[in-house]
Amino acid sequence: MRKQVLVTVDRGETRVAILEAEGTPPAKDVATTQNGSRGGGRRRRGRSGSSAPPEGFRIAELYVERLGKRSIVGNVYKGKVDNVVPGLEAAFVDIGLDKNGFLHVDDIVMPGVEVARRGRTGGKGKRITELLKPGQEVVVQVEKDPLKTKGARLSMQLSIAGRYLVYVPQGEGVGVSKRLPDSERERLRKAAAKLDLKSGGAIVRTAADGASREDLERETRYLFRLHDILLGRVEETVAPAMVFQEADLSVRVVRDIFSAHFERAVVDDEGQRHRLTSFFTRTAPELVDRVELYEDEEPLFESYAVDRAIESTLSRRVDLSSGGYLIIDYAEALTVIDVNSGSFTGRGRGTRLEDIITQTNLEAADEVVSQLRLRDIGGIIVIDFIDMSRARNRDAVLKVLRKALDQDRTKTYVVDISPLGLVEMTRQNVTDGVREILTKTCPTCKGEGVVLSEETVAIQVERKLRDLAAERPKPEAFLVQVHPRVATALMAGPVRRLLELESEVGKYFHFEGSEALPLDHFAVSLEGDRDEVEERALPFRVGEEVLVTLEEPHMYNEDDAVAKVDGYVISVGGGVRAIGEKKLVRIDHVGRSAASASIVGEPDGSGASASASGSDDDEDPDGRSRRRRGRRGGRGRGRGKSEVAAEAAAETAAAEAGGGGSSD
């Protein structure tokens, strides 16, 4: 599998992408740069080329690290035990962060001391209360970043990673990566067995494929020096504090994918390029020439279409090339991936339903793994494949899934597919993925993904208004802050709930608010005399001239248009020919949720506007319509059905002109 690394640096963010392609790097690419010269170190892409990864490559993994929020996985801390909880078989350790780290008994390592591990029978070994006491100082390494409400996962089993080896000072023996062929594993095991590890242990990494014994010995000396530096800092440091920090994101990624398949790293920042070349100089001088500085005007991630891949990680739906699609839903404890056939109906007349389902599932199995890696999804994962009736088809889908997971560097465990087509698996959750870093919980839905509808909120507001009238009997009218779409639902819907409510309780309610308000917002702004409240509530006065944008045609009158101001609907007579333009209009009639107007300078607009309003009320000499005057009944008395019906017809016509007053 050929691999390339892209590194782009902004003032507050570093982003890294891993590109993969089938096969092995051509010989010329291993030793030379894009321009054909050894040590060129600089690379330009023509702007005439399309923005896409190199031919045959796909974006496999994405990492984002922001200033002040970098991952702490691999960091070593000198901490203090804050609390020991026997029931959890764990201790909480203060390492100097906002939240204490979590240290389980299985991760406690003390030279010469046997620990009672979880699940061990016979009660052998010391329990956690015998090993750790509050206030005790311990040296720990972070295994998992703090995630959501949980603190960092800690271990006392320290490890220091190099190119070929991971040195474990408190470990025993030598382990070899299972990703290597059996013959190469055996060769490396024999070579590593002759290393002097100073009573420690080591793990031979996948990148050691083809490494000689001399390479391993050189690396052990480098790792020993790092360990000596770490021990010196532990002695000098006062707990709680960090004593060893992992390498930068770019160095970590490149270090972890070291192999013969690594082609090059393209970097758009001189500082990051210097860090990578310095690291290669110490650990793999032959790879220095594979680090290239990108200097084109087009941003690196745009040039390789990585920005589009980052945006795709925020989408719930992932389309498959056949016409099917995946739906990815995140929950607190697990992630659910649903496979759908979509528009895929097979190829050829003789295609059977089982064949269509199986082909969709096979394609989905490969794409699921791509999404797990791209989004860095961890924890419990349930994949709901389309039900297959034949066991051999289920086995084929599971085989494709497991083969694709062989390319995943993160530890995974997969359970056999069930008769219902469900696959349960786990994937190690180490750090936040791109989606978690780029987003935050919606303040409106609180992460639920849904909000109350306007109709639901309108019903709730109606109940609150009824309670308000009972609790405050003295005021004649109230001015209430609500979302404009909720106000429209109260005043213009088929139920006419506001007018009926006013008739029932003998009070008058006006509304104000803007689209910026939460949909479920409710607050009383003013209470008192009806004239006083109405004076403040109505946004416009008859005869007032307003500059508005005509947004859409009137729903019923084909010659008219509709404008909206913070959800308040203005029906403009004769305005259909000016849709999309700004026009100065004169307000002819005013209602609580809508008004009618005519374009200034067009004498025929008034008549059209009056028709659009649905009201045949004449204006009083003082400029107020009779309809508005008719609403001023006696204090506290109910209104008759005829008055309610007349007002409902007048209020609704203008509001419905804008599609029910919605601003969508």
Side-chain angles (χ1 to χ4, degrees):
M1 184 68 69
R2 301 164 60 189
K3 295 180 184 289
Q4 294 186 7
V5 177
L6 309 179
V7 183
T8 181
V9 180
D10 295 313
R11 185 168 286 107
E13 182 179 71
T14 299
R15 295 178 293 170
V16 177
I18 297 178
L19 277 58
E20 290 182 350
E22 296 292 336
T24 57
K28 63 179 181 179
D29 285 346
V30 172
T32 63
T33 59
Q34 182 77 3
N35 59 16
S37 61
R38 287 190 62 87
R42 296 183 183 272
R43 181 166 180 268
R44 293 181 179 271
R45 278 175 60 96
R47 291 185 59 86
S48 59
S50 61
S51 296
E55 184 176 356
F57 280 85
R58 64 183 178 86
I59 301 164
E61 297 178 24
L62 294 168
Y63 300 94
V64 177
E65 191 170 80
R66 290 184 171 170
L67 188 65
K69 296 183 180 179
R70 62 175 295 178
S71 172
I72 62 172
V73 173
N75 289 1
V76 179
Y77 293 85
K78 184 176 182 180
K80 276 188 177 182
V81 177
D82 184 58
N83 190 21
V84 179
V85 185
L88 295 177
E89 295 185 282
F92 292 91
V93 182
D94 180 8
I95 57 175
L97 303 180
D98 293 338
K99 296 178 182 177
N100 289 342
F102 180 83
L103 177 64
H104 194 268
V105 67
D106 290 349
D107 298 311
I108 296 177
V109 177
M110 293 183 174
V113 178
E114 186 176 6
V115 180
R117 308 286 182 190
R118 178 174 50 184
R120 176 178 292 178
T121 59
K124 296 180 179 179
K126 293 186 177 182
R127 303 189 65 80
I128 191 168
T129 52
E130 301 175 274
L131 300 171
L132 299 177
K133 304 293 181 183
Q136 181 178 342
E137 293 186 352
V138 290
V139 178
V140 292
Q141 189 169 33
V142 177
E143 291 187 326
K144 292 183 181 180
D145 277 326
L147 299 174
K148 297 180 181 177
T149 60
K150 299 178 181 178
R153 179 70 182 258
L154 307 177
S155 174
M156 292 178 65
Q157 180 78 282
L158 306 184
S159 62
I160 304 175
R163 176 188 178 188
Y164 301 127
L165 299 170
V166 176
Y167 176 50
V168 186
Q170 297 138 314
E172 297 178 359
V174 176
V176 182
S177 170
K178 294 182 180 180
R179 295 181 181 273
L180 293 169
D182 291 341
S183 58
E184 182 65 9
R185 289 187 67 202
E186 186 61 28
R187 184 190 73 82
L188 289 170
R189 193 186 304 278
K190 292 179 180 179
K194 300 177 182 179
L195 298 175
D196 179 13
L197 297 176
K198 297 182 179 180
S199 72
I203 300 171
V204 182
R205 311 185 69 177
T206 309
D209 188 7
S212 64
R213 179 183 172 184
E214 289 74 18
D215 292 331
L216 300 181
E217 289 177 344
R218 182 176 66 249
E219 180 141 302
T220 55
R221 291 193 293 270
Y222 167 68
L223 295 176
F224 289 157
R225 288 197 300 271
L226 290 181
H227 183 237
D228 291 339
I229 293 172
L230 188 154
L231 293 178
R233 291 178 179 174
V234 168
E235 292 295 328
E236 299 170 358
T237 302
V238 178
M242 181 175 65
V243 295
F244 178 82
Q245 187 174 30
E246 256 285 27
D248 288 347
L249 175 63
S250 59
V251 175
R252 294 199 308 271
V253 171
V254 172
R255 180 192 65 196
D256 291 345
I257 66 169
F258 268 148
S259 69
H261 302 289
F262 171 68
E263 286 191 3
R264 60 175 159 259
V266 183
V267 189
D268 67 0
D269 179 74
E270 182 62 46
Q272 284 292 332
R273 175 176 176 267
H274 176 71
R275 292 186 183 92
L276 288 176
T277 54
S278 297
F279 176 72
F280 282 137
T281 300
R282 294 193 305 269
T283 59
E286 72 277 11
L287 299 181
V288 171
D289 290 336
R290 302 191 198 182
V291 181
E292 303 172 4
L293 183 65
Y294 181 88
E295 296 181 305
D296 192 31
E297 293 180 2
E298 183 179 14
L300 175 62
F301 271 28
E302 287 186 18
S303 177
Y304 283 82
V306 180
D307 282 341
R308 290 205 301 269
I310 292 176
E311 291 176 3
S312 73
T313 63
L314 307 180
S315 175
R316 183 170 173 256
R317 172 169 170 156
V318 179
D319 291 320
L320 304 176
S321 57
S322 65
Y325 60 92
L326 308 177
I327 295 294
I328 303 177
D329 286 320
Y330 301 87
E332 181 68 23
L334 78 161
T335 301
V336 180
I337 303 177
D338 184 33
V339 181
N340 298 275
S341 59
S343 61
F344 181 54
T345 57
R347 297 180 178 87
R349 295 183 178 179
T351 304
R352 296 174 299 177
L353 177 61
E354 179 75 5
D355 297 333
I356 295 173
I357 291 173
T358 302
Q359 187 172 345
T360 303
N361 284 340
L362 289 171
E363 184 181 1
D366 188 66
E367 183 61 31
V368 162
V369 177
S370 296
Q371 292 298 318
L372 294 181
R373 297 178 62 195
L374 195 66
R375 300 173 184 232
D376 199 14
I377 298 174
I380 300 173
I381 300 161
V382 177
I383 309 167
D384 183 11
F385 288 103
I386 306 172
D387 294 348
M388 294 168 286
S389 59
R390 295 183 179 180
R392 68 176 184 180
N393 291 337
R394 294 196 293 269
D395 293 340
V397 170
L398 191 61
K399 183 178 179 180
V400 170
L401 180 70
R402 285 177 167 158
K403 183 179 179 181
L405 285 171
D406 288 341
Q407 300 299 325
D408 190 1
R409 296 182 295 119
T410 303
K411 185 178 180 180
T412 59
Y413 174 73
V414 181
V415 181
D416 288 344
I417 191 168
S418 75
L420 296 177
L422 297 178
V423 171
E424 300 172 22
M425 63 173 290
T426 61
R427 187 171 185 269
Q428 189 175 15
N429 201 354
V430 178
T431 63
D432 283 330
V434 175
R435 174 178 173 270
E436 286 73 23
I437 294 174
L438 298 184
T439 63
K440 67 176 184 179
T441 302
C442 172
T444 300
C445 73
K446 304 296 188 295
E448 294 294 329
V450 294
V451 295
L452 296 176
S453 67
E454 291 89 340
E455 178 72 13
T456 301
V457 177
I459 293 173
Q460 293 178 350
V461 169
E462 181 183 358
R463 298 188 186 116
K464 292 177 181 178
L465 294 178
R466 184 177 288 106
D467 294 341
L468 183 65
E471 294 170 1
R472 307 182 189 180
K474 292 184 178 181
E476 181 185 15
F478 296 90
L479 178 60
V480 182
Q481 274 190 353
V482 295
H483 193 283
R485 294 204 295 270
V486 175
T488 299
L490 282 165
M491 292 186 286
V495 181
R496 321 282 191 218
R497 57 172 55 93
L498 181 66
L499 300 181
E500 294 287 354
L501 175 63
E502 289 182 335
S503 178
E504 174 187 338
V505 301
K507 304 291 183 183
Y508 298 93
F509 302 102
H510 289 272
F511 302 106
E512 66 176 1
S514 68
E515 293 289 340
L517 288 176
L519 199 64
D520 59 353
H521 181 81
F522 180 90
V524 178
S525 301
L526 180 66
E527 60 182 51
D529 180 78
R530 184 182 179 190
D531 286 337
E532 177 187 1
V533 172
E534 188 176 71
E535 183 70 21
R536 173 173 163 179
L538 297 181
F540 304 109
R541 296 291 174 264
V542 173
E544 184 177 353
E545 295 183 352
V546 185
L547 184 65
V548 297
T549 299
L550 304 184
E551 298 182 7
E552 59 191 60
H554 194 283
M555 182 177 293
Y556 304 118
N557 301 301
E558 60 181 17
D559 293 332
D560 299 350
V562 170
K564 299 173 186 175
V565 179
D566 274 337
Y568 188 84
V569 178
I570 303 176
S571 178
V572 181
V576 69
R577 60 185 178 278
I579 289 178
E581 301 178 11
K582 287 188 176 182
K583 289 289 185 179
L584 186 66
V585 300
R586 181 181 294 107
I587 303 298
D588 298 324
H589 298 277
V590 180
R592 284 187 286 189
S593 65
S596 59
S598 56
I599 300 176
V600 173
E602 298 186 14
D604 60 337
S606 178
S609 176
S611 173
S613 71
S615 172
D616 57 358
D617 297 324
D618 296 326
E619 287 191 7
D620 288 336
D622 62 355
R624 296 188 180 183
S625 69
R626 289 180 183 174
R627 176 166 52 87
R628 287 177 56 206
R629 183 187 61 187
R631 289 207 305 266
R632 294 197 182 95
R635 180 185 301 271
R637 68 171 179 86
R639 293 178 293 170
K641 291 183 179 180
S642 59
E643 185 181 357
V644 170
E647 183 169 352
E651 289 285 350
T652 302
E656 288 183 345
S662 172
S663 62
D664 293 338

